[in-house]
Amino acid sequence: MEIKFLGMSKRSGNFPFWMLTFAIIFFVIVSQLIQDGMFMDGMIYVTVSKNLAEGIGTFWDPYFSQTFLTSYHEQPPLYFGLLALFFKVLGSSMYVERLFCLCCFAVTAFYIHKFWKLIYNQNKSIAQVSWFPVVIWTLIPVCFWSYTNQVEETVMVIFATMSVYYQYKALFLKQNILLNLLLAGLFVFLSGFTKGVQGMFPLAACGLYWIFYRDISLIKIIRYSLIVLSVSVVIYGLLWLTIPEFTTSYVKYYQDRYVPTFNQVMNTTSHRYDILVKLFLELIPSILIVLIIHLLTRKFRKQDDQLSDVNRHVYWLVGIGLAGSIPLMVTLEQRGFYLNTVLPFFALAISLFVGPRISTLIQELQKNNFRLNAWRNVSLLVLIGSIVFTISRIGEFKRDKNKLTDIYLLGAVIQPGTTISVPYKMHDEWSLRAYLMRYFSISVSSADSTHQYYIQKKDLPLELVPPNYELYDLGSNELDLYIRKDSLGR
């Protein structure tokens, strides 16, 4: 019996390209996930989730540490609840959170694959090129960066992509319209429940369909849009009526996130168009790949005739991507990884320009068994190389090597659940706070120097060390540990 992968025989011309796709994923994502070190925001999210799994804090009132963010409401709680489930089932190892992120990547990649096959459901040969939009999406720099740094957008993008996917089935294929619109509405709710109002952008899909297609009446498209919206309205209404903690949680969320953001307390740029510039720069590698393929496959120009059937798909997908990007200009808190939630739609739109040509190229490849076998063997070697490279990164650090080495030394001395002191000049050492809390449940205080332990960066003046502390030699790289003298029993 012949083994098939994603419905495809290993003799298929697309099989080597799937192997290359997995090789790319191992190189740019798995090899990074396997290493220690993480972006500070991601480490805070992971820590809050681990605390929740251990019964510290609640779903509606998450907790970070004893001295900082004791009631964490920077984001809605769904991300923390989902990751906490992983911790509850699999334990608190670093690799659990990394597996969670890899699962998020896999689900989104699978829906990009399914989306492509829906678009080309009438053309089996092009439908089998579904690996290509997955590659284009994976190679967007902020995409693979996001999946190796545990940002919340990696969960939100799952629900946003699924919502648009089911709206496509309802709008373009006219399949089970009511059911698919209700499913789309559910995933809009889950998207917003992960990261807030910016997760609601898939609601634009119905309106954009009417703008570009006009094959149904405006009244009907309004009705479709209201069906999608009504699911969120009903669920939020039920939560508000039945769970008192929900209201308290969202009031705090509004106060902790939206008030500072719109009062420009959390600005990251001085230009409102900065997010669109970031979007263009992030898409440049994908655009260049498509342009190169376009130039190298000029002899297949006749295949461009098939583009006429999907041109409006491109407009629709780009429109959805912009619907999730342009609203980010409302505030000056703009970070590149916020764009992660719209990248599947841009990747699909960009890939549509060369999909027919790639399909023809692969059909030509299949006609020559020698070339096909050679390409399959090369792809297998590349995949094996990527796996070996990934394994070689186990135990390495992708960032903060010296800091993390010191933190493990500190964790061997300081008891879990302890609060330690630092000088006020280290108040903003957020990654230090996050690492200590994530790995050893150690809280950090910069306002109280009476705790048993005190740590200070080696490059800070010794005059900052309170006189009642004595140096404890750890052989550390960046951080010195001091112990209060009266706790030494002298």
Side-chain angles (χ1 to χ4, degrees):
M1 183 177 68
E2 186 175 22
I3 297 175
K4 292 190 175 185
F5 174 74
L6 295 174
M8 172 187 58
S9 165
K10 70 176 184 178
R11 296 192 182 94
S12 165
N14 284 283
F15 190 79
F17 292 96
W18 272 113
M19 285 195 287
L20 286 176
T21 300
F22 279 93
I24 290 169
I25 293 168
F26 270 97
F27 271 124
V28 303
I29 294 180
V30 183
S31 67
Q32 296 292 305
L33 283 175
I34 209 77
Q35 299 179 65
D36 205 349
M38 191 185 292
F39 177 56
M40 180 269 295
D41 285 22
M43 188 56 72
I44 289 177
Y45 302 151
V46 167
T47 304
V48 170
S49 303
K50 182 184 76 75
N51 289 340
L52 181 59
E54 294 175 351
I56 305 172
T58 67
F59 181 78
W60 297 110
D61 191 19
Y63 169 98
F64 176 71
S65 78
Q66 296 177 23
T67 58
F68 180 61
L69 299 175
T70 55
S71 184
Y72 184 81
H73 293 279
E74 294 281 326
Q75 312 293 349
L78 182 58
Y79 177 96
F80 312 121
L82 293 174
L83 181 51
L85 288 175
F86 266 63
F87 283 129
K88 274 185 173 294
V89 174
L90 301 174
S92 60
S93 164
M94 175 191 83
Y95 296 109
V96 173
E97 68 221 34
R98 309 308 172 89
L99 175 63
F100 175 79
C101 221
L102 186 59
C103 288
C104 292
F105 174 87
V107 173
T108 307
F110 181 66
Y111 267 88
I112 292 172
H113 152 77
K114 285 171 62 70
F115 213 137
W116 179 270
K117 294 180 83 68
L118 271 189
I119 292 172
Y120 284 110
N121 68 320
Q122 298 298 319
N123 191 320
K124 184 178 179 181
S125 63
I126 304 179
Q128 290 179 344
V129 186
S130 57
W131 55 267
F132 185 69
V134 174
V135 169
I136 289 296
W137 169 68
T138 302
L139 289 177
I140 299 173
V142 77
C143 176
F144 61 77
W145 182 93
S146 297
Y147 283 98
T148 60
N149 284 282
Q150 214 82 30
V151 295
E152 287 193 314
E153 283 74 12
T154 57
V155 170
M156 189 172 98
V157 67
I158 296 174
F159 301 129
T161 304
M162 292 175 76
S163 176
V164 177
Y165 171 84
Y166 287 108
Q167 288 183 77
Y168 183 93
K169 293 183 77 172
L171 297 169
F172 287 81
L173 304 182
K174 319 298 183 187
Q175 296 178 354
N176 300 316
I177 293 175
L178 179 59
L179 174 61
N180 282 315
L181 290 177
L182 290 173
L183 285 171
L186 173 62
F187 291 117
V188 167
F189 163 75
L190 293 174
S191 177
F193 203 39
T194 304
K195 196 71 195 291
V197 67
Q198 59 265 49
M200 310 295 284
F201 74 90
L203 288 170
C206 287
L208 289 168
Y209 176 84
W210 184 80
I211 290 172
F212 295 122
Y213 282 82
R214 301 290 183 93
D215 63 346
I216 58 176
S217 68
L218 178 60
I219 296 298
K220 182 173 285 189
I221 210 69
I222 291 173
R223 186 161 64 245
Y224 287 176
S225 297
L226 289 175
I227 291 172
V228 178
L229 175 62
S230 67
V231 178
S232 291
V233 173
V234 169
I235 295 175
Y236 275 116
L238 290 173
L239 290 172
W240 177 65
L241 290 171
T242 60
I243 303 176
E245 296 86 354
F246 165 78
T247 304
T248 304
S249 176
Y250 263 72
V251 168
K252 289 182 177 179
Y253 168 54
Y254 172 78
Q255 293 170 342
D256 291 354
R257 171 54 63 175
Y258 287 102
V259 171
T261 297
F262 283 95
N263 282 302
Q264 302 188 355
V265 174
M266 307 177 76
N267 289 2
T268 60
T269 182
S270 57
H271 305 288
R272 293 198 181 276
Y273 294 101
D274 188 54
I275 196 69
L276 295 184
V277 174
K278 289 180 187 294
L279 174 63
F280 175 72
L281 293 175
E282 292 292 338
L283 293 177
I284 285 177
S286 299
I287 294 171
L288 287 176
I289 290 171
V290 168
L291 284 175
I292 291 169
I293 292 173
H294 188 78
L295 291 173
L296 293 177
T297 57
R298 283 176 292 180
K299 65 178 181 179
F300 301 132
R301 282 193 295 265
K302 62 181 181 179
Q303 301 302 320
D304 293 346
D305 294 339
Q306 299 182 53
L307 285 175
S308 59
D309 296 330
V310 296
N311 274 342
R312 287 181 293 182
H313 288 65
V314 172
Y315 302 146
W316 185 69
L317 289 165
V318 170
I320 293 169
L322 292 176
S325 307
I326 292 176
L328 297 175
M329 296 192 302
V330 171
T331 77
L332 294 176
E333 185 193 358
Q334 301 180 9
R335 300 170 186 264
F337 60 83
Y338 290 174
L339 296 167
N340 196 56
T341 52
V342 301
L343 298 182
F345 311 113
F346 285 110
L348 283 163
I350 292 169
S351 300
L352 287 172
F353 285 104
V354 291
R357 289 193 182 192
I358 293 175
S359 173
T360 304
L361 181 65
I362 291 174
Q363 289 175 43
E364 292 296 316
L365 179 65
Q366 285 178 298
K367 294 176 182 177
N368 188 315
N369 286 332
F370 175 79
R371 288 183 181 177
L372 180 60
N373 289 331
W375 187 240
R376 187 183 297 119
N377 292 334
V378 169
S379 301
L380 179 60
L381 288 174
V382 174
L383 177 58
I384 292 172
S386 70
I387 294 172
V388 171
F389 172 75
T390 297
I391 293 172
S392 74
R393 308 315 295 165
I394 295 175
E396 297 293 329
F397 298 84
K398 70 170 179 279
R399 62 189 294 165
D400 300 325
K401 178 179 180 178
N402 288 337
K403 182 182 292 184
L404 278 164
T405 301
D406 287 357
I407 285 169
Y408 290 127
L409 292 173
L410 291 168
V413 175
I414 304 171
Q415 292 295 316
T418 301
T419 297
I420 64 174
S421 299
V422 298
Y424 191 74
K425 286 193 174 183
M426 292 177 61
H427 176 80
D428 293 337
E429 290 282 336
W430 308 121
S431 62
L432 175 66
R433 291 175 181 264
Y435 285 134
L436 282 169
M437 193 64 197
R438 163 63 183 94
Y439 291 126
F440 299 105
S441 298
I442 296 172
S443 301
V444 175
S445 171
S446 60
D448 184 357
S449 60
T450 64
H451 299 290
Q452 181 180 2
Y453 298 100
Y454 174 96
I455 61 173
Q456 180 171 301
K457 294 173 71 175
K458 290 180 181 290
D459 57 2
L460 290 178
L462 290 176
E463 290 77 14
L464 294 175
V465 181
N468 58 326
Y469 285 91
E470 181 175 306
L471 179 66
Y472 183 96
D473 187 13
L474 285 173
S476 52
N477 299 298
E478 297 180 354
L479 302 167
D480 280 330
L481 172 65
Y482 296 84
I483 301 181
R484 206 174 62 216
K485 293 177 182 177
D486 61 8
S487 69
L488 295 173
R490 295 178 183 173

